[in-house]
Amino acid sequence: MPAALIDDEPHLAAARPGLLILADKGYIAAELDRFLATHGISLLRPSYRNRGTPQPAEALLKTVRQLIESINDTLKGQLDLEQHGGRTIEGVEVRVAQRILTMST
């Protein structure tokens, strides 16, 4: 939840004026919208078909989301990151970094 992240790490939002968070449809709550507005953060999410007019930047969401899903699929499928074999957080980080570096060379 974005609110929990901002509460736990307030410097993340403070260091990024005009922060824009991309989210799924599930992040629809007036309380969340008010919380983010008080911190100067914008939330862009797809609109429901039966609610209001789409936001101007909503067309960008599909492109960004497809890119993110493509990267996730590559990391999980081609690099076998679901079965990484790391036993600690550090071990997982090393294995992920190794595989990403291998793909980028």
Side-chain angles (χ1 to χ4, degrees), residues 15-42:
R16 294 166 178 83
L19 181 63
L20 174 66
I21 297 176
L22 303 178
D24 286 338
K25 289 181 183 179
Y27 288 97
I28 185 165
E31 181 181 331
L32 176 61
D33 291 341
R34 283 190 300 273
F35 176 84
L36 294 175
T38 60
H39 288 84
I41 299 170
S42 301

Side-chain angles (χ1 to χ4, degrees), residues 29-85:
E31 181 181 331
L32 176 61
D33 291 341
R34 283 190 300 273
F35 176 84
L36 294 175
T38 60
H39 288 84
I41 299 170
S42 301
L43 180 69
L44 181 59
R45 64 179 167 257
S47 58
Y48 285 95
R49 290 186 180 142
N50 61 353
R51 291 192 183 179
T53 58
Q55 297 178 18
E58 195 171 319
L60 176 67
L61 276 177
K62 285 185 180 182
T63 305
V64 172
R65 187 174 181 141
Q66 286 175 342
L67 177 64
I68 292 169
E69 292 296 329
S70 174
I71 291 169
N72 285 342
D73 186 56
T74 299
L75 291 174
K76 286 176 17 182
Q78 293 180 3
L79 302 180
D80 293 326
L81 287 182
E82 287 184 305
Q83 298 162 0
H84 48 72

